[in-house]
Amino acid sequence: MSGSTSLQRRLGLGLTLGVSLLWLLATLASGVVVRNELDAAFDSAMEETAQRILPLAVTEIVNRELPGLSQQIAMLRPHTEMLSYLVRDASGTVLLQSHDVNPALFAARPVTGFRTSDSHRIYGEAAVSNTIFIEVAEPLAHRQETARQAVMALLAPLLLLIPLSLAGIWLWVRSSLRPVLAYKTAIETRGAGDLSPVTQIALPEEIEPVAQAVDQLMERLRRALESERSFTANSAHELRTPLAAALAQVQRLRQEAPETQWQQRIDHIEALLQRLARLSEKLMQLAKAEGGALLATEPHNAVAVIRLVASEFRHDPAGWRLQLELPQTGAVMTTLDMDAVAILVRNLIENALKYGDETQPVRVSLSSEGRVRVSNGGPPVPADQLAGLTARFARAAGAHVSRPGAGLGLAIVDAIASGAGTRLVLSSPAPGQSDGFAAEVMLPGIMPPTDARQSVPWIT
């Protein structure tokens, strides 16, 4: 099975990376446009500079007392000269120049129009019948730096846009997927026996077919489980009457049969019928445990149910081993169905009496928080066998069994616990002991009880 990925993470990262990539491409395209526009603006500035300076330069040159004298314009204050110019005649003689000009940048003879050297952009203009020329030069590095700064100004918001986009898209996707998360939570919080459709959540159109398919699958599964449970319960129920009749006939046959070898066969048949009757009863309990509807609408007193179940063992030969630890006063109210509580406690007690040391007591306790624990003495159960004891017809290997059983007791308790939203916890050795076995279940829907507890041995 391939590892699952988060749709929210994929959408968040994908959309953020997509937006960032589009922003980067748009910035690069804008950089090209900005570079062209800057070149056009700088060319226009050079042309405007040349056309403004040239008439002034012509006037100054014509009015000189000494014609042909080269003059350099003085610098008013220190500054970086981005545009430098050179005024020459047709032969290339310098007549006027800016304070920071490098004559080596220009050709030997003046040229009109735009041209580009390795390091500068140059514009030339002529006046007085092409006898006086002006050439304006601008470093290409200045244009490149200006274009770089313009592109960086467009890219700088991307540093803030990426985390903001990620957070915004993440929140938007999470909000959009909230019905899906609610659908997931509604399924997770259901009990093991609740297979009814989930129709109260408005899901996105893309997820709705999946939810409908899940509901259809749950409906088919519910029908299959109900058919199986119905068959198990009906079969066990229908067996009760013929089993009771057969037992009655066997008991009558024992009284009428002579004291011969037939008595042993009759005892064996009666034992088998009684075992079959117990198995039928366990199957009915298992069907109820797996059938759902384990929670009652109104809470009831678990203390009274446990006392009633314990009283059923009054005439059992092993009943003297029971010790009850129950709240001394008050009640422990739970929403677990009364029949489910009785079945749960009865199976735990029967399991402890069958598998525990016959010389040690079986402790049945109910804490104020609603924790039911049944513990018994005896050799510890190996750890590798402990987890498998809740399987159907599973019994600990090598355990001493004082009475026959079907291996369904802990499976029934585990089914009740799972259906009620809690769980069965098995431990061996028992808590606080060096040996023994303990099973405990936290009852659901506990009301605030009395904290005091009373420990008394079972009295027949």
Side-chain angles (χ1 to χ4, degrees):
M1 180 178 179
S2 60
S4 60
T5 57
S6 171
L7 180 60
Q8 178 177 337
R9 185 182 298 109
R10 292 177 61 185
L11 289 176
L13 294 178
L15 291 176
T16 301
L17 292 177
V19 171
S20 302
L21 181 61
L22 290 177
W23 183 281
L24 181 60
L25 294 177
T27 301
L28 294 178
S30 299
V32 174
V33 174
V34 168
R35 178 62 182 270
N36 293 332
E37 293 297 326
L38 287 176
D39 287 341
F42 285 133
D43 287 348
S44 177
M46 293 176 65
E47 187 176 2
E48 184 71 18
T49 301
Q51 293 179 3
R52 291 294 182 91
I53 294 177
L54 183 57
L56 299 177
V58 170
T59 302
E60 196 276 336
I61 292 172
V62 171
N63 294 330
R64 285 179 183 175
E65 296 180 357
L66 298 175
L69 179 65
S70 176
Q71 183 178 357
Q72 185 175 14
I73 301 299
M75 179 176 59
L76 297 179
R77 61 178 179 275
H79 67 279
T80 300
E81 189 174 74
M82 295 299 177
L83 295 178
S84 57
Y85 60 90
L86 192 66
V87 179
R88 296 183 294 176
D89 58 16
S91 63
T93 302
V94 178
L95 303 176
L96 186 66
Q97 63 182 15
S98 60
H99 75 279
D100 197 22
V101 68
N102 181 10
L105 298 176
F106 304 92
R109 292 180 178 275
V111 180
T112 59
F114 286 99
R115 58 191 177 89
T116 303
S117 66
D118 293 338
S119 60
H120 284 71
R121 177 76 166 168
I122 301 174
Y123 174 73
E125 187 67 62
V128 191
S129 301
N130 293 330
T131 58
I132 299 178
F133 297 84
I134 184 172
E135 292 175 296
V136 181
E138 180 185 14
L140 294 178
H142 174 239
R143 296 193 176 195
Q144 295 170 355
E145 177 64 19
T146 303
R148 187 187 68 82
Q149 292 180 358
V151 173
M152 291 302 299
L154 294 175
L155 287 176
L158 190 60
L159 300 176
L160 182 62
L161 177 67
I162 292 177
L164 289 180
S165 297
L166 182 60
I169 293 174
W170 193 278
L171 292 176
W172 178 257
V173 172
R174 183 176 182 84
S175 176
S176 300
L177 294 179
R178 189 170 299 165
V180 179
L181 298 177
Y183 181 76
K184 166 180 169 290
T185 303
I187 294 179
E188 287 181 343
T189 54
R190 288 190 168 200
D194 188 0
L195 298 176
S196 59
V198 184
T199 58
Q200 69 276 16
I201 300 176
L203 294 172
E205 294 182 358
E206 295 78 5
I207 306 298
E208 186 66 29
V210 178
Q212 293 176 358
V214 171
D215 288 343
Q216 294 173 1
L217 177 61
M218 293 174 66
E219 178 63 21
R220 292 196 299 269
L221 180 61
R222 183 186 63 82
R223 289 198 298 265
L225 291 177
E226 284 183 353
S227 177
E228 178 184 350
R229 293 164 185 163
S230 177
F231 174 78
T232 302
N234 292 336
S235 299
H237 179 75
E238 293 298 328
L239 284 174
R240 297 177 68 179
T241 300
L243 284 174
L247 281 171
Q249 292 296 327
V250 168
Q251 292 170 359
R252 181 177 178 181
L253 182 62
R254 176 189 289 111
Q255 296 175 356
E256 297 177 354
E259 294 292 336
T260 61
Q261 60 179 355
W262 291 103
Q263 290 292 339
Q264 294 181 354
R265 295 186 178 182
I266 291 173
D267 293 340
H268 182 64
I269 294 174
E270 183 179 10
L272 290 178
L273 290 175
Q274 288 177 349
R275 182 178 180 183
L276 185 56
R278 287 193 297 270
L279 177 59
S280 175
E281 183 67 24
K282 292 298 181 183
L283 290 176
M284 291 186 64
Q285 293 179 2
L286 183 61
K288 176 177 177 57
E290 295 180 342
L294 297 175
L295 299 179
T297 56
E298 297 292 336
H300 56 84
N301 187 9
V303 176
V305 177
I306 294 177
R307 289 187 181 276
L308 179 62
V309 172
S311 67
E312 298 177 0
F313 293 86
R314 179 179 293 115
H315 303 293
D316 192 294
W320 64 271
R321 295 166 54 195
L322 288 182
Q323 286 188 356
L324 302 183
E325 297 180 6
L326 305 175
Q328 187 174 12
T329 59
V332 178
M333 307 301 292
T334 178
T335 56
L336 186 61
D337 182 73
M338 293 181 63
D339 291 338
V341 175
I343 293 173
L344 182 148
V345 175
R346 182 181 297 108
N347 279 278
L348 290 180
I349 293 176
E350 289 178 351
N351 183 78
L353 292 176
K354 292 174 185 176
Y355 290 89
D357 190 337
E358 295 181 355
T359 64
Q360 297 187 35
V362 172
R363 295 180 175 85
V364 182
S365 65
L366 175 63
S367 70
S368 58
E369 295 83 13
R371 180 179 291 105
V372 176
R373 176 186 294 173
V374 178
S375 60
N376 57 267
V381 179
D384 58 342
Q385 299 182 24
L386 198 62
L389 293 180
T390 57
R392 298 181 183 182
F393 307 105
R395 309 177 79 178
H400 173 70
V401 181
S402 60
R403 294 192 298 180
L408 288 174
L410 293 181
I412 294 172
V413 175
D414 185 63
I416 293 176
S418 299
T422 182
R423 67 189 186 100
L424 169 64
V425 179
L426 305 180
S427 55
S428 183
Q433 300 178 202
S434 59
D435 61 355
F437 175 85
E440 62 179 50
V441 176
M442 178 66 73
L443 298 179
I446 296 298
M447 304 288 289
T450 303
D451 291 333
R453 292 195 298 166
Q454 180 185 25
S455 177
V456 295
W458 181 252
I459 301 176
T460 59

